[in-house]
């Protein structure tokens, strides 16, 4: 999920007899997959509607791809030209430098109260919310119905069943019985889903510290290495070299029996005529009780001092109908309770219902930690080697824990 930008500059104040005209600059990520549905169109339409109701306020929106948007905002901030608003992937670094408004300074109480609670909580640093959730998603296990029916299989609920299904699919000549994308593109996501399914995770929720090399996490990657990868059940590309986008493309081509996926995979598969089912991620003893959740963030920079105008615009952005329009356009989950209730019962959103049901049970990356960026980058670089021939899950997870400890100490 992914790029946009907003920077507010005072236009004309003191030049036209005391004009109070304000231009808010927003930088945002692009969630579209083509020119026809690019996010620039969404934001331009929204800005036009807002400006019609708020004379004197202009919204200047710039949209960048997810590959560029975070770096663009970082460069703007470094140059002393921060946007008023940025909708990007992470907020904690800017909050730690005291560059952001607190959410309490911006949003009305009804809008604040409408956010899905665990998403709002994930936007906090030391108990203060700076990150405003903008879009969210969860993961489910996708399986190819045609391949499963041919092999006489039912969807797995445990790791043992997953491995057995993968063995049967391999015997049928399926190219990727289970696609395990631990390549650098998005390895932190596949890793987290497996850690959660094994009863672990990146952090100890009770202690609030990183626990990457916990007994549960080591056991999870020992199982992956020995019972899945080591038995040739993950396909011809080494997991450490397989990226998520390539795994999705292979599923849409009918070459994958099972993989973890988010809502966009549904439409990729449907376009290619692949019949698929979705179930909760299997766990060591049964279906995983906690799914991985992902959120992208809106934040407001203090540099230009337009808290009142920014807050009023954000109240408009998070209006139920606007949240629904965005979520439906890009197959994402809404971040507000009011929009979630509508999508849970609306026929047009029936395909997203399984993901919506997982959202209240989901756990997000530890995005409130400024150390997470360094930890995530190291996971992307190292985690694939845990399941490679000769790899040592305990040693590599220990190295990742050391990275996390150092990053935490540096905060």
């Amino acid at each position: 999920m992914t790029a946009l930008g907003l920077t507010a500059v005072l236009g004309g104040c003191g030049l036209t007899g005391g004009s109070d005209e304000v231009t808010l600059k927003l930088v945002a990520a692009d969630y579209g997959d083509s020119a026809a549905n690019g996010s620039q169109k969404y934001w331009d339409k929204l800005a036009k509607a807002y400006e019609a109701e708020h004379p004197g306020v202009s919204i200047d929106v710039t949209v960048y791809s997810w590959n560029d948007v975070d770096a663009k905002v970082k460069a703007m901030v470094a140059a002393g030209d921060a946007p008023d608003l940025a909708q990007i992937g992470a907020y904690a670094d800017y909050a730690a430098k005291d560059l952001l408004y607190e959410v309490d300074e911006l949003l009305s109480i009804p809008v604040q109260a409408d956010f899905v609670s665990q998403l709002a909580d994930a936007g906090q640093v030391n108990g203060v919310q700076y990150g405003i959730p903008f879009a969210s998603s969860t993961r489910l296990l996708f399986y190819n119905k045609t391949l499963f029916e041919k092999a006489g299989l039912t969807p797995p609920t445990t790791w043992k069943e997953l491995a057995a299904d993968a063995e049967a699919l391999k015997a049928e000549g399926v190219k990727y019985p289970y696609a395990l994308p631990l390549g650098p593109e998005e390895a932190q996501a596949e890793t987290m889903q497996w850690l959660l399914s094994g009863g672990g995770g990146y952090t100890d929720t009770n202690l609030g510290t990183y626990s990457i090399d916990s007994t549960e996490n080591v056991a999870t990657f020992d199982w992956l290495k020995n019972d899945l990868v080591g038995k040739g059940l993950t396909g011809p590309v080494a997991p450490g070299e397989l990226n998520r986008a390539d795994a999705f493309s292979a599923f849409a081509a009918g070459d994958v029996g099972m993989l973890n996926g988010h809502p966009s995979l549904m439409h990729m598969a449907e376009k290619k005529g692949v019949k698929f089912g979705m179930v909760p991620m299997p766990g060591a003893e049964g279906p995983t009780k906690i799914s991985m959740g992902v959120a992208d963030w809106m934040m407001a920079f203090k540099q230009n001092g337009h808290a009142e105008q920014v807050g009023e615009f954000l109240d408009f952005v998070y209006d139920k109908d606007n949240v629904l329009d965005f979520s439906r356009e890009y197959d994402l989950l809404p971040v507000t309770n009011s929009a979630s209730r509508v999508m849970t019962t609306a026929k047009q959103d029936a395909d997203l219902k399984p993901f919506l049901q997982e959202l209240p049970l989901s756990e997000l990356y530890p995005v409130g930690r400024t150390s997470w960026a360094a930890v995530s980058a190291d996971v992307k670089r190292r985690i694939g080697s845990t399941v490679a021939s000769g790899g040592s899950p305990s040693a590599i997870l220990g190295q990742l824990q050391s990275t996390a400890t150092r990053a935490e100490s540096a905060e």
Side-chain angles (χ1 to χ4, degrees):
M1 303 179 23
T2 2
L4 150 96
L6 251 183
T7 303
V9 292
L10 191 60
C13 184
L15 300 177
T16 57
S19 170
D20 290 329
E21 291 187 3
V22 169
T23 297
L24 300 178
K25 184 169 178 59
L26 166 65
V27 175
D30 193 353
Y31 291 81
D33 56 14
S34 68
N37 72 338
S39 292
Q40 187 74 52
K41 288 188 175 182
Y42 171 83
W43 284 108
D44 287 348
K45 179 180 177 182
L46 193 72
K48 185 177 181 180
Y50 183 78
E51 290 167 353
E53 297 178 7
H54 297 80
V57 178
S58 299
I59 311 298
D60 176 15
V61 183
T62 306
V63 173
Y64 296 104
S65 76
W66 271 109
N67 293 330
D68 301 326
V69 66
D70 289 293
K72 291 286 188 181
V73 172
K74 184 176 181 179
M76 293 172 71
V77 172
D81 186 27
D84 296 296
L85 290 160
Q87 184 269 299
I88 52 179
Y91 66 86
D93 282 354
Y94 300 121
K97 296 174 183 176
D98 195 30
L99 299 177
L100 303 180
Y101 283 113
E102 297 178 15
V103 172
D104 284 346
E105 299 176 280
L106 301 170
L107 299 177
S108 66
I109 291 175
V111 171
Q112 289 187 61
D114 196 27
F115 287 116
V116 175
S117 61
Q118 75 266 39
L119 299 180
D121 290 345
Q124 295 181 359
V125 175
N126 297 324
V128 178
Q129 186 179 353
Y130 298 91
I132 308 170
F134 182 73
S136 66
S137 182
T138 55
R139 302 293 169 94
L140 292 170
L141 182 76
F142 282 66
Y143 65 95
N144 184 309
K145 283 187 173 181
T146 302
L147 297 178
F148 265 62
E149 290 170 3
K150 184 179 178 182
L153 303 175
T154 56
T157 61
T158 66
W159 289 355
K160 184 177 180 180
E161 291 174 2
L162 186 149
D165 285 352
E167 287 275 14
L169 292 166
K170 181 182 179 182
E172 290 286 337
V174 175
K175 190 173 181 180
Y176 294 90
Y178 178 87
L180 182 66
L182 295 178
E185 178 195 3
E186 203 182 35
Q188 82 285 0
E190 184 74 11
T191 296
M192 182 170 177
Q193 187 62 72
W194 277 100
L195 296 181
L196 292 172
S197 73
Y202 285 121
T203 59
D204 184 316
T205 53
N206 293 320
L207 299 176
T209 57
Y210 283 104
S211 56
I212 299 173
D213 62 349
S214 68
T215 301
E216 295 85 354
N217 291 347
V218 171
T220 294
F221 272 86
D222 278 338
W223 186 88
L224 282 172
K225 181 177 186 295
N226 298 322
D227 292 73
L228 210 61
V229 180
K231 294 183 178 179
L233 303 178
T234 54
V237 180
E241 299 174 6
L242 180 65
N243 283 323
R244 190 267 309 163
D246 294 330
F248 277 22
S249 294
F251 186 84
D255 293 332
V256 174
M258 299 173 280
L259 85 169
N260 281 315
H262 51 65
S264 67
L265 182 57
M266 293 188 299
H267 298 286
M268 288 182 64
E270 287 168 353
K271 287 179 181 179
K272 296 291 186 177
V274 173
K275 296 180 180 178
F276 61 89
M278 301 177 297
V279 294
M281 177 67 180
E285 304 297 334
T288 303
K289 293 182 173 60
I290 301 176
S291 174
M292 187 192 76
V294 178
D296 297 327
W297 302 94
M298 180 73 78
M299 63 212 70
F301 287 91
K302 296 192 290 186
Q303 179 178 321
N304 297 308
H306 294 134
E308 181 179 352
Q309 292 89 348
V310 167
E312 290 177 353
F313 176 63
L314 288 177
D315 278 356
F316 180 78
V317 168
Y318 287 99
D319 174 79
K320 180 183 67 177
D321 290 337
N322 291 332
V323 172
L324 283 170
D325 286 347
F326 183 85
S327 301
R328 286 167 170 165
E329 178 67 33
Y330 300 108
D331 296 314
L332 294 166
L333 304 184
V335 297
T336 61
N337 293 308
S338 57
S340 295
R341 285 192 292 270
V342 172
M343 293 185 77
T344 299
T345 57
K347 288 184 178 180
Q348 73 181 96
D349 303 310
D351 55 351
L352 287 173
K353 189 172 182 179
F355 295 95
L356 283 163
Q357 291 172 333
E358 289 292 310
L359 186 58
L361 308 173
S362 66
E363 182 174 317
L364 280 72
Y365 300 130
V367 290
R369 300 169 180 266
T370 57
S371 58
W372 171 241
V375 173
S376 177
D378 207 29
V379 169
K380 292 178 181 181
R381 185 168 66 90
R382 295 180 188 267
I383 201 68
S385 60
T386 58
V387 297
S389 176
S392 170
S394 61
I396 294 166
L397 291 176
Q399 292 168 359
L400 291 169
Q401 179 66 31
S402 295
T403 295
T405 300
R406 289 193 302 272
E408 284 281 274
S409 299
E411 287 190 7

